[in-house]
């Protein structure tokens, strides 16, 4: 390099350093210090230089603050000529980060901005004091939030696209309140309306009104159970008076629609007149000019918190106008990189380690089972079952204490109730054939339902309402059939006579165990019954009613039945054929589930307690049923790893509905998930709604019996549901013979049929490898 050219370079460097030092000195003073004002078109910046500036735009708007590459970069204040104002963070000419936007009317928004939109946590206070605090996505209330309306009403819960949608509570200024599900700003789904006078309605809603199965209760304990509809011709039900109510009772269910709900109108609230994104201007730093200019990493830029452009790519409008403003502009390179970060490929692992690759693919979720409609082979059995349960639960019974006498568990007393088609003194007429009905230990199971906080009316509606049961496609290994209620709350399983004996024999110990340990993982039993069909065969169908572990609003993407044994414990299905209803087994498991420290410690304690109880009752062959919901799933059906999410990429979940033409995806479930917010912790119980991390594992291809694979360090945010099922098999003579026979052919430790003590130890050891503490 010549001396002359070297001198020119040094002179240029000295000039740049001098100008930067002067800019730093000016920036130390208040951001709104007096200085010369220039029109934005009067000068071009030195690429990458960040300095303080005051600019007057040709339209009369004024910007004061940090400036770089011919547009706002850093902290600054923008005053529109119509009186709107923004003070906060800017990135490349867009409001990005924390800021405050105010309207001439006096309304304000203070919170997070992204790419010009209100996006993130923020508070909007209207000119009439209508206030919303919570999550925003592209100008719309979306996620968890609370709103105080100007008329005194209050809503707290989930929002979607600017409207209450999901689970939420709305309280009117007169004291009435609704707690339940919403859709598009209306009460829709399961919910409870509680009036200020103490009356309440629990049941189904549609478009803001009761529709379907529901119960109306009075403060004195009376209740009305039936099918609800705004059309009186579709309304039907039964009134059950309390013991304290006497005399005639004149009440019409239609009064709920015409009188009670008149004071329960949802407030429309204050609308936002214009959105900050609609006020954004096109700076010269956008488009081709932006791509040509290099962005220098000056100390001023590095001191600020790191900011990044959103790569969501959602074509959403505002609450007032859902058309796109075209403010979201992303380069093809950004989109390509976001696609590349979406999923983890097992092929990236070192093949020399001998791992079996396992690609995870989530299929669309669907409801399991086939609805039992007229003409189904078990349609009449279902009617008999529903008639019997309605008779058992609905008949009057004295209040019981949780301290039961030994006589309540006595099974020698057999009482059959006849159900003739024409009806009798104690049974209603019906369209089914003649049958007999038996309740086993009715007082015990009634007390168990009370212990498990099951409302009798809700229980009756789920099992005996207008909706038919669903029969699972195939019987279990034991030959038992399974039925699900339409609301998925309860499962009905047919039992062998030997299984009934096991349950009745362990019932006293079972009752004491579930009473002592509220967080027990063992199956919850709610009723044990028998239907005896008249005719030549005199067929008896025995069945038990249990809680359904997977009754949840979350889609169960994977379900595992885990015993801790390896023989025959594999589902030989390719990944493409594994559906949400497929039950996988021990050798299919490819995760370690990591729980928070407190929950993991409670899990360990409870597994020990439950296994001790089952071992004492000589029970074996039970399983840990695990349901996994991936909090984020890409559009291609692959779970999104935590590393991908932390990089700023968000993808729509597979179980969240899309737009009408399937072209506009909704935001992912994780964006509005309540469980990772402290206010949502109340819904978490051991085995229910449990937030966790699932670490992907890989098994060596040369070691088929490896029950728990080696961790890969690849994590997914998940919601877990789990419990111990199939607890009605004791170590009887048939199981002893099975053990002896299989022990000759296979490794005795790999088979399921082993002594209860050995089974308990093996089960605990395995489960405590599958579950671990999240460190």
């Amino acid at each position: 390099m010549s001396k002359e050219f070297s001198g020119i370079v040094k002179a240029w460097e000295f000039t740049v350093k001098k100008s930067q030092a002067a800019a730093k000195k000016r920036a130390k003073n208040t951001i709104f210090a007096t200085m010369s004002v220039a029109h934005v078109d009067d000068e071009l910046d030195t690429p990458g230089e960040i300095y303080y500036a005051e600019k007057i735009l040709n339209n009369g708007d004024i910007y004061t603050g940090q400036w770089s590459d011919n547009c706002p970069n850093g902290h600054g204040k923008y005053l529109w000529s119509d009186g709107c104002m923004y003070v906060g963070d800017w990135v490349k000419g867009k409001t990005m980060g924390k800021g405050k936007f105010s309207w001439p009317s006096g309304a304000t928004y203070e919170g997070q901005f992204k790419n010009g939109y209100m996006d993130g946590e923020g508070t909007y206070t209207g000119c009439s004091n209508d206030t919303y605090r919570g999550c925003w996505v592209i100008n719309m209330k979306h996620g968890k939030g609370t709103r105080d309306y100007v008329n005194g009403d209050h809503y707290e819960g989930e929002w979607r696209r600017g409207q209450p949608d999901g689970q939420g509570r709305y309280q009117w200024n007169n004291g009435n309140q609704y707690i339940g599900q919403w859709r598009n700003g209306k009460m829709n789904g399961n919910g409870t309306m509680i009036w200020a006078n103490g009356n309440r309605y629990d049941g189904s809603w549609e478009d803001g009104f009761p529709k379907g199965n529901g119960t109306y209760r009075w403060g004195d304990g009376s209740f009305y159970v039936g099918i609800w509809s705004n059309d009186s011709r579709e309304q039907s039900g039964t009134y059950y008076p309390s013991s304290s109510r006497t005399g005639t009772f004149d009440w019409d269910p239609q009064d709920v629609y015409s009188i009670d709900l008149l004071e329960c109108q949802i407030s429309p609230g204050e609308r936002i007149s214009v959105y900050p994104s609609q006020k954004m201007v096109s700076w010269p730093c956008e488009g081709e000019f932006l791509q040509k200019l290099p962005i220098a990493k000056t100390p001023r830029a590095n001191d600020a918190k790191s900011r990044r452009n959103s790569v969501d790519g959602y074509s959403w409008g505002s609450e007032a106008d859902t058309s796109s403003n075209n403010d979201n502009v992303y380069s093809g390179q950004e989109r390509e990189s976001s696609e590349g970060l979406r999923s983890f490929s097992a092929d990236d692992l070192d093949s020399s380690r001998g791992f079996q690759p396992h690609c995870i693919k989530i299929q669309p979720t669907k409801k399991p089972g086939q609805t039992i409609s007229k003409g189904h082979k078990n349609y009449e059995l279902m009617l008999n079952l529903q008639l019997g349960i309605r008779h058992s639960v609905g008949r009057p019974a004295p209040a019981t204490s949780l301290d039961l006498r030994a006589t309540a568990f006595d099974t020698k007393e057999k009482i059959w109730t006849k159900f003739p088609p024409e009806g009798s003194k104690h049974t209603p007429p019906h369209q089914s054939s003649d049958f007999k009905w038996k309740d086993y230990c009715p007082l015990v199971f009634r007390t168990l339902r009370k212990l498990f906080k099951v409302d009798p009316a809700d229980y009756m509606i789920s099992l005996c309402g207008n909706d038919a049961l669903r029969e699972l496609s195939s019987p279990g290994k034991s030959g038992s059939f399974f039925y699900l209620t339409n609301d998925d709350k309860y499962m009905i399983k047919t039992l062998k006579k030997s299984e009934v004996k096991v349950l009745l024999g362990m019932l006293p110990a079972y009752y004491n165990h579930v009473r002592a340990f509220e967080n027990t993982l063992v199956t919850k039993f709610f009723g044990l019954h028998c239907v005896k069909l008249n005719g030549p065969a005199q067929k008896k169908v025995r069945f038990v009613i249990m809680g359904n572990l997977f009754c949840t609003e979350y889609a169960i993407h994977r379900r595992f039945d885990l015993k801790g044994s390896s023989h025959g414990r594999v589902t030989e299905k390719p990944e493409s054929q594994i559906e949400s209803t497929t039950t996988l087994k021990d050798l299919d498991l490819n995760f370690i589930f990591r729980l928070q420290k407190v929950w993991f410690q409670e899990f360990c304690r409870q597994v020990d307690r439950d296994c001790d109880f089952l071992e004492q009752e000589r029970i074996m062959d039970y399983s840990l049923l695990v349901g996994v919901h991936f909090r984020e799933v890409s559009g291609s059906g692959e779970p999104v790893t935590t590393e991908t999410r932390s990089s700023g990429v968000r993808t729509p979940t597979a179980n969240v509905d899309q737009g009408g033409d399937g072209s506009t995806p909704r935001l992912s479930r994780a964006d509005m998930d309540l469980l990772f917010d402290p206010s949502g912790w109340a819904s978490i119980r051991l085995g229910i709604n449990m937030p966790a991390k699932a670490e992907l594992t890989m098994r060596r291809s040369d070691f088929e019996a490896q029950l728990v694979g080696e961790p890969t360090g690849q994590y997914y945010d998940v919601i877990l549901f789990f419990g111990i099922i199939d607890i009605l098999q004791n170590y009887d003579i048939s199981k002893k013979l099975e053990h002896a026979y299989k022990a000759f052919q296979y490794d005795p430790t790999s088979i399921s049929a082993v002594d209860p003590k050995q089974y308990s130890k093996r089960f605990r050891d395995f489960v405590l490898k599958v579950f671990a503490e999240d460190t």
Side-chain angles (χ1 to χ4, degrees):
M1 182 184 292
S2 66
K3 291 183 179 179
E4 182 182 0
F5 185 74
S6 176
I8 293 173
V9 170
K10 288 181 179 179
W12 177 80
E13 288 178 347
F14 175 78
T15 303
V16 170
K17 289 179 180 179
K18 186 177 179 181
S19 63
Q20 288 179 343
K24 288 181 183 179
K25 185 176 181 180
R26 290 194 300 268
K28 286 181 181 179
N29 300 324
T30 173
I31 195 167
F32 303 117
T34 304
M35 60 182 304
S36 61
V37 178
H39 282 274
V40 75
D41 296 330
D42 288 350
E43 58 182 327
L44 287 176
D45 303 335
T46 303
E49 181 183 1
I50 295 179
Y51 61 94
Y52 177 82
E54 292 189 8
K55 305 285 184 179
I56 298 179
L57 278 70
N58 292 331
N59 60 5
D61 296 351
I62 299 174
Y63 172 80
T64 57
Q66 290 174 298
W67 188 268
S68 173
D69 294 328
N70 219 32
C71 60
N73 256 313
H75 193 86
K77 172 182 178 180
Y78 193 104
L79 181 63
W80 283 266
S81 57
D82 63 2
C84 292
M85 184 175 68
Y86 171 81
V87 180
D89 297 333
W90 297 76
V91 175
K92 299 176 184 177
K94 295 286 187 182
T95 53
M96 187 87 68
K98 290 184 178 180
K100 181 176 181 179
F101 190 96
S102 57
W103 286 260
S105 63
T108 60
Y109 169 83
E110 187 167 5
Q112 294 288 333
F113 286 81
K114 185 183 293 183
N115 209 46
Y117 293 96
M118 298 184 290
D119 197 302
E121 292 285 333
T123 299
Y124 173 83
T125 304
C127 58
S128 59
N129 238 14
D130 187 323
T131 304
Y132 170 83
R133 300 176 182 85
C135 297
W136 298 75
V137 174
I138 312 181
N139 285 344
M140 287 187 285
K141 306 171 187 73
H142 190 99
K144 184 174 181 293
T146 62
R147 185 170 185 176
D148 294 302
Y149 296 87
V150 65
N151 64 356
D153 293 355
H154 174 84
Y155 174 81
E156 180 176 1
E158 290 180 282
W159 296 74
R160 191 175 195 81
R161 304 196 70 165
Q163 298 286 349
D165 198 304
Q167 192 73 19
R169 180 177 68 89
Y170 192 102
Q171 184 160 356
W172 285 265
N173 57 10
N174 58 12
N176 300 341
Q177 62 175 316
Y178 170 83
I179 305 169
Q181 294 174 319
W182 296 75
R183 183 183 296 168
N184 295 328
K186 294 182 179 179
M187 298 169 281
N188 203 98
N190 291 322
T192 299
M193 176 71 76
I194 303 173
W195 283 269
N197 61 9
N199 297 346
R200 61 185 287 166
Y201 168 83
D202 300 87
S204 298
W205 296 75
E206 187 176 296
D207 291 331
F209 295 99
K211 177 76 173 179
N213 292 316
T215 304
Y216 189 91
R217 293 176 175 82
W218 286 265
D220 62 2
S222 303
F223 62 91
Y224 171 90
V225 181
I227 308 301
W228 291 74
S229 174
N230 208 353
D231 186 347
S232 58
R233 294 170 296 181
E234 299 175 356
Q235 180 97 29
S236 63
T238 306
Y239 170 69
Y240 295 90
S242 68
S243 57
S244 61
R245 179 166 288 191
T246 58
T248 58
F249 181 65
D250 184 19
W251 177 77
D252 185 352
Q254 291 297 305
D255 291 348
V256 173
Y257 299 90
S258 60
I259 300 174
D260 295 350
L261 290 175
L262 282 181
E263 298 179 349
C264 298
Q265 301 298 315
I266 307 301
S267 173
E270 180 182 318
R271 298 187 69 85
I272 299 175
S273 57
V274 62
Y275 290 85
S277 59
Q278 296 172 310
K279 302 292 292 179
M280 291 297 103
V281 296
S282 296
W283 299 94
C285 64
E286 295 178 316
E288 295 180 1
F289 187 74
L290 172 63
Q291 295 175 13
K292 290 178 182 177
L293 287 177
I295 305 298
K297 293 185 177 180
T298 64
R300 172 69 61 182
N302 289 337
D303 286 345
K305 291 183 179 179
S306 61
R307 305 176 183 90
R308 58 174 179 267
N309 282 327
S310 167
V311 290
D312 296 343
Y314 294 108
S315 56
W316 283 23
S318 64
E319 294 174 27
D321 181 8
T322 56
S323 62
S324 174
N325 293 328
N326 292 324
D327 287 335
N328 258 336
V329 181
Y330 309 109
S331 67
Q333 183 180 1
E334 282 176 318
R335 283 181 179 166
E336 186 177 352
S337 65
S338 71
E339 289 289 334
L341 287 169
R342 280 185 175 178
S343 62
F344 165 75
S345 172
D347 296 334
D348 295 335
L349 291 174
D350 185 359
S351 58
S352 64
R353 295 170 64 191
F355 280 120
Q356 260 186 325
H358 193 111
C359 175
I360 305 171
K361 195 82 171 178
I362 303 300
Q363 303 294 336
T365 56
K366 61 181 182 180
K367 270 194 170 187
Q370 174 191 2
T371 301
I372 303 176
S373 54
K374 201 165 187 176
H376 191 283
K377 63 178 181 178
N378 288 325
Y379 179 73
E380 199 166 274
L381 175 63
M382 180 190 74
L383 293 181
N384 297 344
L385 184 152
Q386 291 178 324
L387 283 166
I389 292 174
R390 189 179 289 117
H391 168 75
S392 300
V393 178
R395 64 188 173 193
T400 58
S401 166
L402 294 180
D403 298 318
L404 296 178
R405 297 180 180 179
T407 53
F409 298 92
D410 186 8
T411 59
K412 295 178 182 179
E413 192 77 25
K414 294 185 178 181
I415 302 176
W416 290 89
T417 303
K418 292 182 179 180
F419 278 79
E422 66 276 9
S424 67
K425 183 180 179 181
H426 302 290
T427 62
H430 57 87
Q431 298 178 353
S432 183
S433 59
D434 190 13
F435 70 95
K436 292 182 179 178
W437 173 266
K438 180 184 179 183
D439 285 315
Y440 294 91
C441 302
L443 181 60
V444 176
F445 285 101
R446 189 182 302 121
T447 312
L448 279 172
R449 293 194 293 270
K450 180 180 177 181
L451 189 66
F452 294 139
K453 298 179 175 60
V454 174
D455 183 88
D458 292 342
Y459 183 73
M460 195 187 304
I461 287 175
S462 294
L463 291 161
C464 315
N466 201 37
D467 298 317
L469 302 176
R470 300 199 312 274
E471 183 180 66
L472 297 190
S473 56
S474 60
K477 186 178 177 182
S478 64
S480 299
F481 282 87
F482 293 86
Y483 304 93
L484 277 172
T485 58
N486 191 62
D487 59 7
D488 290 329
K489 285 185 178 179
Y490 303 103
M491 180 175 285
I492 300 168
K493 177 186 179 183
T494 61
L495 299 180
K496 298 176 183 177
K497 187 176 182 179
S498 60
E499 291 175 312
V500 173
K501 286 184 176 179
V502 171
L503 178 53
L504 292 174
M506 67 185 284
L507 196 55
Y510 172 84
Y511 179 83
N512 291 331
H513 181 75
V514 298
R515 185 182 176 188
F517 303 110
E518 185 180 4
N519 284 335
T520 180
L521 297 175
V522 298
T523 305
K524 289 180 171 60
F525 294 122
F526 301 115
L528 182 62
H529 313 281
C530 179
V531 171
K532 184 177 181 181
L533 304 176
N534 287 337
Q538 293 283 301
K539 180 182 177 183
K540 290 182 180 179
V541 180
R542 303 169 182 88
F543 58 91
V544 66
I545 302 173
M546 309 176 290
N548 178 21
L549 192 61
F550 298 152
C551 176
T552 170
E553 63 177 0
Y554 294 101
I556 302 297
H557 296 132
R558 282 289 185 272
R559 53 188 74 199
F560 297 93
D561 182 274
L562 308 175
K563 292 179 181 287
S565 56
S566 59
H567 176 65
R569 301 295 296 163
V570 65
T571 305
E572 295 185 358
K573 276 189 176 184
E575 182 68 30
S576 59
Q577 295 181 17
I578 296 177
E579 299 178 336
S580 60
T581 56
T582 303
T583 302
L584 303 171
K585 299 179 182 178
D586 299 65
L587 293 178
D588 302 308
L589 182 66
N590 54 331
F591 296 107
I592 293 174
F593 302 113
R594 302 193 179 278
L595 303 176
Q596 294 175 11
K597 181 177 180 180
V598 174
W599 283 115
F600 177 69
Q601 291 173 346
E602 176 59 26
F603 173 77
C604 295
R605 286 192 294 266
Q606 195 57 53
V607 167
D608 285 339
R609 295 163 183 160
D610 291 339
C611 287
D612 286 342
F613 158 68
L614 295 171
E615 183 182 328
Q616 290 167 11
E617 295 300 312
R618 302 288 293 164
I619 303 296
M620 43 78 65
D621 212 23
Y622 44 87
S623 312
L624 184 74
L625 185 64
V626 181
V628 183
H629 167 81
F630 292 99
R631 296 183 67 222
E632 292 208 59
V633 180
S634 72
S636 58
E638 298 161 344
V640 179
T641 63
T642 54
E643 288 81 0
T644 302
R645 292 203 314 119
S646 63
S647 68
V649 179
R650 294 189 306 190
T651 52
T653 55
N655 62 303
V656 177
D657 296 336
Q658 293 185 335
D661 60 355
S663 60
T664 305
R666 303 281 184 95
L667 282 188
S668 66
R669 180 78 198 175
D671 282 332
M672 56 179 178
D673 199 303
L674 299 180
L675 296 181
F676 286 79
D677 189 279
S679 60
W681 292 348
S683 64
I684 302 172
R685 299 201 331 267
L686 188 64
I688 302 295
N689 285 347
M690 297 215 69
K693 283 188 172 64
E695 182 176 8
L696 187 69
T697 61
M698 292 292 171
R699 287 191 178 83
R700 295 187 179 277
S701 55
D702 58 347
F703 189 24
E704 295 182 359
Q706 185 183 12
L707 281 178
V708 181
E710 295 188 29
T712 64
Q714 207 71 27
Y715 294 91
Y716 303 90
D717 280 340
V718 296
I719 307 294
L720 295 183
F721 301 83
F722 51 84
I724 299 174
I725 63 169
D726 294 338
I727 63 170
L728 298 181
Q729 179 61 59
N730 62 1
Y731 197 54
D732 57 10
I733 186 64
S734 65
K735 286 295 179 182
K736 291 177 180 177
L737 290 173
E738 180 185 343
H739 173 80
Y741 173 74
K742 289 184 176 179
F744 277 111
Q745 305 176 61
Y746 311 103
D747 179 2
T749 61
S750 70
I751 60 178
S752 296
V754 294
D755 177 85
K757 188 172 184 178
Q758 183 183 346
Y759 192 96
S760 172
K761 183 180 185 306
R762 184 180 65 187
F763 179 82
R764 289 187 226 204
D765 292 344
F766 172 63
V767 164
L768 295 182
K769 290 178 182 175
V770 173
F771 285 79
E773 182 182 332
D774 182 9
T775 56

